[in-house]
Amino acid sequence: MIVTFTDFGREGPYLGQMEAVLAHRAPLSRVIHLQSDAPAFRPRAAAYLLQALLAPFPPGCVFLCVVDPGVGTARRPLMLRAGAHWFVGPDNGLLLPAACSQGAMEARVLRWEPPFLSQSFHGRDLFAPVAAMLANGESVPGDPVQPDALQGWDWPAALWEVIYVDAYGNAMTGIPANSLSDAVVLNLADEHIPYRRVFGEVGPGVPFWYRNSIGLVEIAVNQGSAAERLGLEVGSPVGCAG
Amino acid sequence: MIVTFTDFGREGPYLGQMEAVLAHRAPLSRVIHLQSDAPAFRPRAAAYLLQALLAPFPPGCVFLCVVDPGVGTARRPLMLRAGAHWFVGPDNGLLLPAACSQGAMEARVLRWEPPFLSQSFHGRDLFAPVAAMLANGESVPGDPVQPDALQGWDWPAALWEVIYVDAYGNAMTGIPANSLSDAVVLNLADEHIPYRRVFGEVGPGVPFWYRNSIGLVEIAVNQGSAAERLGLEVGSPVGCAG
Amino acid sequence: MIVTFTDFGREGPYLGQMEAVLAHRAPLSRVIHLQSDAPAFRPRAAAYLLQALLAPFPPGCVFLCVVDPGVGTARRPLMLRAGAHWFVGPDNGLLLPAACSQGAMEARVLRWEPPFLSQSFHGRDLFAPVAAMLANGESVPGDPVQPDALQGWDWPAALWEVIYVDAYGNAMTGIPANSLSDAVVLNLADEHIPYRRVFGEVGPGVPFWYRNSIGLVEIAVNQGSAAERLGLEVGSPVGCAG
């Protein structure tokens, strides 16, 4: 199974063109579009989101990950073998938290070159063919690299920032939900944000934090938009109060 | 074939996470995302929409339906066998009109529990695994329940309300198109709305009703937005004039 | 493989209903949604976009193309055999540039009629079943027609107009990128637009043209929206300066 995780959006022909390459080169593999609106041009936020999304996938997936503001520069293309999964994408930290969470990891810088490489769409021209070959069980040329030589290797276990804002204005953070006790009061935009189990436990318009369905601390407002109410966006810092 | 019908939207990781569960547990089943912007938190409107969408599906589909404002409360989880299809989702009426339209129906309250059940995402944790097992032909534990003990059992054959507004501002109603004669004049927002066969039969800016492609009465405005022109939204009442 | 290219959008039940027909009638064929926000009601702009998107597809695809403002009128339904692909859709020029780019072409006006044909959704009722039959290798009744009797047969190799505006406000044109030298200065909205290789070569807010990843001339503004800055939309004319 090949799983895409990108910031392309669903609009336009980009996702469709990438899927065409996958269908061509790995005709027997299923393709799942896990998320297409990962934080645009924000590989660090996207990395912590990706890590939180792995749980429901069976062993043996190839994650094709493209949040790649450095496309066309000297940033390195990677394939990582971690646990029972493969991760393919740019060396900008995007793959690291997810791969590290899977146990033993083996990293290689891609040495495979496609027949045609556009300047701006390595997702289609480079990473998709590599993902397809890995899904087929083919070997792909690459040079071993020590994990601690990769971007993002020293990132913390929790990212105390907003990493995604959904359509309702709920703000996910990069903080694992099981790392905070119910007594913790968060501080965002100079407001104190207490824990509540569910939306119904606070009045309309009141902000709180809760443990979301992918295991992250999420900031919400009952019957309202936390992003609007608190002025949050991807990258907004989150602190502990008091 | 597993068919999803949800109010998750295409944005975010929600549809992708649910598809991961389906691909894991029913690797041989095709998955079709029928609609992902069903009326949010409005199971009754969504129910009439779902009923109108079944025609093109072959026998033997498992419809995985999640418009579930009561998630986390005591509302019951259901599986219904109706005609040659299965319907899986919450007991809030969402499944009833569609299932009833398929002929003889057998209803069961799910007695299967997943290894992990989040508070807010039963689509992924409960309904998707059940849909996958049914698609595999596996039996799923459940307690028989009389259809007339289900939410929505007494809903009318036609819902005289707006049930969906599309991107162009056309407003679908829950009224079967073949239940009205061409002479019927509708009343919405204190305006009289006559029948026209096609858009070209009225001048620009003029509202009318027609029979849409899924067999429902739909309100439209030639070269304009009926929703804006008449102030319509999901739940707006529709009446007969005169 | 069946490839859809439509202006339906991802919202609503339209794409899902069409996919249901494909899955029913061609259960062994993979379906890829190449693009669902093709220029709405603009078959000419959409036609040049489609032509630019074919490169990554393997031989033997059936392209199911629906940008069809004339649905319900006397416009003819077509199937074209071109190179190793099939193209199915309305006779409004949509299929022509793409089909002609594939080499020898054989055109037929569809003579197959579905059991039920709605007035407004021939994508689901007519074109999808035909695409499915072709994907199955079945023959579909049709009357041969000379290519030069088709709409769009005399369209130019390059369309000097904006054909698509993406979510960032970048404006694709119908001009093949390899047909212009780097020295060409374009004229849009009375401004002179020079060539630049990448975004980084101009200051913030400055418009330029570059060769995009699907081989077309695209107008962009560094860190801004070209569409907004220059007042561009689908159909805006593009000229050469000087």
Side-chain angles (χ1 to χ4, degrees):
Chain A
M1 192 187 316
I2 301 171
V3 182
T4 73
F5 178 79
T6 76
D7 64 354
F8 302 166
R10 293 267 169 183
E11 301 303 295
Y14 307 108
L15 203 62
Q17 284 237 317
M18 202 168 76
E19 191 170 348
V21 172
L22 297 174
H24 185 183
R25 287 184 172 260
L28 301 179
S29 283
R30 190 168 193 154
V31 174
I32 288 187
H33 299 303
L34 169 57
Q35 184 159 3
S36 306
D37 69 333
F41 313 122
R42 308 288 293 253
R44 196 169 65 155
Y48 285 82
L49 186 55
L50 176 62
Q51 176 188 16
L53 295 172
L54 299 183
F57 289 92
C61 292
V62 179
F63 288 87
L64 165 53
C65 308
V66 191
V67 177
D68 191 14
V71 64
T73 69
R75 70 96 189 84
R76 301 179 297 183
L78 297 180
M79 56 180 174
L80 311 182
R81 178 91 190 151
H85 295 315
W86 284 100
F87 296 85
V88 178
D91 178 21
N92 59 16
L94 177 63
L95 312 178
L96 257 283
C100 291
S101 74
Q102 297 300 298
M105 187 177 80
E106 197 185 288
R108 289 177 192 271
V109 174
L110 290 171
R111 213 161 19 82
W112 181 83
E113 285 191 15
F116 169 75
L117 182 66
S118 66
Q119 274 174 40
S120 56
F121 200 178
H122 291 194
R124 177 192 63 193
D125 299 333
L126 174 60
F127 297 125
V130 167
M133 288 186 279
L134 294 173
N136 291 342
E138 302 167 41
S139 74
V140 177
D143 299 314
V145 58
Q146 287 305 311
D148 60 1
L150 299 177
Q151 295 294 318
W153 181 250
D154 54 350
W155 287 354
L159 186 66
W160 286 71
E161 292 179 8
V162 171
I163 62 168
Y164 182 72
V165 176
D166 77 11
Y168 297 102
N170 302 317
M172 293 185 191
T173 73
I175 310 168
N178 60 14
S179 69
L180 299 193
S181 86
D182 297 0
V184 171
V185 175
L186 296 178
N187 189 304
L188 287 94
D190 288 324
E191 292 210 41
H192 286 196
I193 315 285
Y195 167 78
R196 292 293 181 267
R197 205 178 56 88
V198 292
F199 280 61
E201 292 184 1
V202 298
V206 177
F208 63 101
W209 72 266
Y210 73 110
R211 300 187 169 90
N212 76 9
S213 66
I214 59 169
L216 295 176
V217 168
E218 183 164 319
I219 318 296
V221 162
N222 192 11
Q223 297 174 37
S225 163
E228 212 170 279
R229 169 78 173 70
L230 299 166
L232 305 177
E233 53 183 23
V234 172
S236 294
V238 179
C240 274
Chain B
M1 192 186 316
I2 301 171
V3 182
T4 75
F5 178 78
T6 77
D7 63 355
F8 301 166
R10 293 266 169 186
E11 300 304 295
Y14 307 107
L15 203 62
Q17 285 238 315
M18 202 168 75
E19 191 171 347
V21 173
L22 298 173
H24 184 182
R25 287 184 172 263
L28 301 179
S29 282
R30 191 167 191 154
V31 174
I32 289 187
H33 299 303
L34 170 56
Q35 184 158 1
S36 306
D37 69 334
F41 313 122
R42 308 288 292 252
R44 196 170 64 156
Y48 286 82
L49 185 54
L50 176 62
Q51 177 187 15
L53 295 173
L54 300 183
F57 289 93
C61 292
V62 179
F63 289 87
L64 166 53
C65 308
V66 191
V67 177
D68 191 13
V71 64
T73 70
R75 69 96 189 84
R76 299 180 298 183
L78 297 180
M79 56 180 174
L80 309 182
R81 177 91 190 152
H85 295 313
W86 284 100
F87 296 85
V88 178
D91 178 22
N92 60 15
L94 177 63
L95 313 177
L96 257 283
C100 292
S101 74
Q102 297 300 298
M105 187 176 79
E106 198 185 288
R108 290 179 191 269
V109 174
L110 289 172
R111 215 165 11 87
W112 181 84
E113 286 191 15
F116 169 76
L117 183 66
S118 65
Q119 274 174 39
S120 55
F121 199 177
H122 291 195
R124 177 194 63 193
D125 299 333
L126 174 60
F127 297 124
V130 168
M133 288 185 280
L134 294 173
N136 291 341
E138 302 167 41
S139 74
V140 178
D143 298 314
V145 58
Q146 287 305 311
D148 61 1
L150 299 177
Q151 295 294 317
W153 182 250
D154 54 349
W155 287 354
L159 186 67
W160 286 72
E161 293 178 8
V162 170
I163 62 168
Y164 183 72
V165 176
D166 75 13
Y168 297 102
N170 302 316
M172 294 185 191
T173 73
I175 310 167
N178 60 14
S179 69
L180 299 193
S181 86
D182 297 359
V184 171
V185 175
L186 297 177
N187 188 303
L188 286 94
D190 288 324
E191 291 210 43
H192 286 197
I193 316 285
Y195 167 77
R196 293 292 180 267
R197 204 177 56 88
V198 293
F199 280 60
E201 291 184 2
V202 298
V206 177
F208 64 100
W209 72 266
Y210 72 110
R211 301 186 169 92
N212 76 10
S213 66
I214 59 170
L216 295 175
V217 168
E218 183 164 319
I219 318 296
V221 162
N222 192 12
Q223 298 175 36
S225 162
E228 210 170 282
R229 169 79 173 70
L230 298 166
L232 304 178
E233 53 183 22
V234 172
S236 293
V238 180
C240 273
Chain C
M1 192 186 316
I2 301 172
V3 182
T4 74
F5 178 79
T6 76
D7 63 356
F8 300 168
R10 293 266 169 184
E11 302 303 296
Y14 307 107
L15 203 62
Q17 285 238 314
M18 202 167 75
E19 190 170 348
V21 173
L22 297 174
H24 185 182
R25 289 185 172 259
L28 300 180
S29 282
R30 190 167 192 154
V31 174
I32 288 186
H33 298 304
L34 170 56
Q35 185 159 2
S36 305
D37 68 333
F41 312 122
R42 307 289 292 253
R44 196 170 65 157
Y48 285 83
L49 185 55
L50 176 62
Q51 177 188 15
L53 295 173
L54 300 183
F57 288 93
C61 292
V62 179
F63 288 87
L64 165 55
C65 307
V66 191
V67 176
D68 191 14
V71 65
T73 69
R75 68 98 189 83
R76 301 180 297 183
L78 297 179
M79 55 180 174
L80 310 182
R81 177 91 190 152
H85 295 314
W86 284 100
F87 296 85
V88 178
D91 179 21
N92 60 15
L94 177 63
L95 313 177
L96 257 282
C100 292
S101 74
Q102 297 299 298
M105 187 176 80
E106 196 186 287
R108 288 178 192 272
V109 174
L110 289 171
R111 213 162 16 84
W112 181 84
E113 286 192 12
F116 169 75
L117 182 67
S118 65
Q119 274 174 38
S120 56
F121 200 178
H122 291 195
R124 177 193 62 192
D125 300 332
L126 174 60
F127 297 125
V130 168
M133 288 185 279
L134 294 173
N136 291 341
E138 301 167 40
S139 74
V140 178
D143 298 313
V145 57
Q146 287 305 311
D148 61 0
L150 299 177
Q151 295 293 317
W153 182 251
D154 53 349
W155 287 354
L159 187 66
W160 286 71
E161 292 179 7
V162 170
I163 62 169
Y164 183 73
V165 176
D166 76 12
Y168 297 102
N170 302 315
M172 294 184 190
T173 73
I175 310 167
N178 60 15
S179 70
L180 298 193
S181 86
D182 297 358
V184 170
V185 175
L186 295 178
N187 188 303
L188 285 93
D190 288 325
E191 292 210 43
H192 286 196
I193 315 285
Y195 167 77
R196 292 291 181 271
R197 203 176 58 87
V198 292
F199 280 61
E201 292 184 1
V202 298
V206 177
F208 64 100
W209 71 266
Y210 73 109
R211 299 186 170 91
N212 76 10
S213 66
I214 59 170
L216 295 175
V217 168
E218 184 164 319
I219 318 295
V221 161
N222 191 13
Q223 297 174 35
S225 163
E228 210 170 280
R229 169 78 173 70
L230 298 166
L232 305 177
E233 53 183 21
V234 172
S236 293
V238 180
C240 274

